[in-house]
């Protein structure tokens, strides 16, 4: 244990099961620890570092904007916020943007907006979410999440209901004219990298439309090219009423947003919601840089192409290794479900110089930067095979 780890263990809340490594530097898809050891990063700060580490465009954006204006509050107009709002609305097809600091804050804003609209319409029903979903760790958002996240935090807010994921029949039986909104993910990341079925999403959208229910897509993890499309919902031929975004939006700099139509945005009135730091000039300038780089460098296409390649290689691997139960994913959001707990595998991959993640207890989650190359995927798969082939079921 190095001195940083000792300080952390002494003074910080004991909330994280940190891996035994202290990272000190990153460049591209690589990071280095305090001992000088080098790692290939196939986690990207949990789908955040879409451009990898220390991307020159991000560094330049931070340097230039920080010399001009960092923070003002939302009492005043600022150029970067206005520019980013226009950019995101133009790319997404929505008409209004609200900026905040994280995915959790974006989801909280969407919950409040949906509740305000529902109350105006006299609706008495719940906001619906789905088993396996993850929308943050506030009291409201854990009410839409798993029981594991809820334990010990009751009483939780009323007005939430969970239904089985990918079960259109259950959705139709429970969602009605009194339902306020439905939260769904195109791919459940924390739930084990489980893509939504197309029939489920298209049927869900039509049912919500028929019953005047707001359809909200949580695009926190799937947004900005991760799935091989700009947003996850675009794979399904639908357009949600509201989407929430964060993570890759800032490329490592904290920022979140809610995107919606002009009409729905008017559900909020002056003073209904707000933020001190959200949409500050520095965050918005960085986010504009990140999004334009993703578009201009055609990284969405790279995610689609190399995601298909990686899934194909892993599916071949699964036919050789009975320890692999299933390979699934969309773009560069890939899950390898094992027949054994995956944390020991994660640690062995760390020893071999790879950062990967274990989610839903038995699923290895791979979320490389969108700049990843084929040779780096090949290296990962070669080492993963060597680790998994030695494991006993």
């Amino acid at each position: 244990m190095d001195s940083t780890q000792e300080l952390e263990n002494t003074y910080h809340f004991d909330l994280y099961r940190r891996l035994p490594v202290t990272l000190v530097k990153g460049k591209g898809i690589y990071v280095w620890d305090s001992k000088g050891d080098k790692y290939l990063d196939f986690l990207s700060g949990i789908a955040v570092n879409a451009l990898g580490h220390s991307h020159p465009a991000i560094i330049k954006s931070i340097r230039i904007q920080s010399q001009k204006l960092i923070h003002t509050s939302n009492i005043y107009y600022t150029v970067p916020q206005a520019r980013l709002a226009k950019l995101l609305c133009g790319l997404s097809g929505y008409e209004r943007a609200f900026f905040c600091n994280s995915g959790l804050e974006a989801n909280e804003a969407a919950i409040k907006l949906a509740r305000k609209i529902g109350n105006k319409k006299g609706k008495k029903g719940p906001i619906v979410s789905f088993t396996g979903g993850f929308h943050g760790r506030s009291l409201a958002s854990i009410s839409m999440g798993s029981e594991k996240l809820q334990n010990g935090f009751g009483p939780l807010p009323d007005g939430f209901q969970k239904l089985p994921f990918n079960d259109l029949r259950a959705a139709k039986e429970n969602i009605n004219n009194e339902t306020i909104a439905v939260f769904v993910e195109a791919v459940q990341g924390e739930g084990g990298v489980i893509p939504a079925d197309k029939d489920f999403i298209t049927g869900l959208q039509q049912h919500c439309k028929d019953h005047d229910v707001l359809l909200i897509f949580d695009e926190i993890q799937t947004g900005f090219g991760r799935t091989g499309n700009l947003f996850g919902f675009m794979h399904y031929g639908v357009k949600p009423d509201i989407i929430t975004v964060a993570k890759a939006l800032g490329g490592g700099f904290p920022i979140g947003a809610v995107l919606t139509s002009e009409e729905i945005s008017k559900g909020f009135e002056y003073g209904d919601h707000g933020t001190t730091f959200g949409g500050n000039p520095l965050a918005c300038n960085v986010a504009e840089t990140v999004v334009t780089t993703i578009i201009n460098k055609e990284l969405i296409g790279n995610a689609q192409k190399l995601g298909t390649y990686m899934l194909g290689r892993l599916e071949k691997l699964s036919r050789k290794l009975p320890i692999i139960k299933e390979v699934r994913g969309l773009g560069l959001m890939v899950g390898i479900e094992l027949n054994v707990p995956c944390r020991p595998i994660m640690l062995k991959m760390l020893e071999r110089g790879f950062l990967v993640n274990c989610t839903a207890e038995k699923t290895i989650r791979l979320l490389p930067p969108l700049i990843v190359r084929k040779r780096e995927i090949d290296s990962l798969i070669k080492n993963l095979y060597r680790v998994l082939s030695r494991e006993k079921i």
Side-chain angles (χ1 to χ4, degrees), residues 95-125:
E95 297 162 318
R96 290 284 179 169
F98 166 78
F99 295 112
C100 50
N101 303 291
S102 67
L104 167 62
E105 289 185 22
N107 283 337
E108 283 278 353
I111 290 169
K112 285 181 67 178
L113 179 58
R115 279 275 180 88
K116 187 73 182 290
I117 292 171
N119 287 337
K120 286 181 179 179
K121 293 179 178 180
K123 288 178 175 258
K124 304 298 182 184

Side-chain angles (χ1 to χ4, degrees), residues 321-325 338-341 388-393:
L321 298 172
I323 193 173
I324 298 178
K325 182 179 179 180
L338 306 179
N339 290 305
V340 298
L388 293 178
S389 62
R390 296 172 185 173
E391 291 295 313
K392 295 180 180 180
I393 301 177

Side-chain angles (χ1 to χ4, degrees), residues 198-210:
K198 186 163 188 178
D199 289 345
F200 172 68
I201 293 297
T202 55
L204 182 65
Q205 187 202 37
Q206 187 60 52
H207 189 71
C208 287
K209 184 177 180 180
D210 292 343

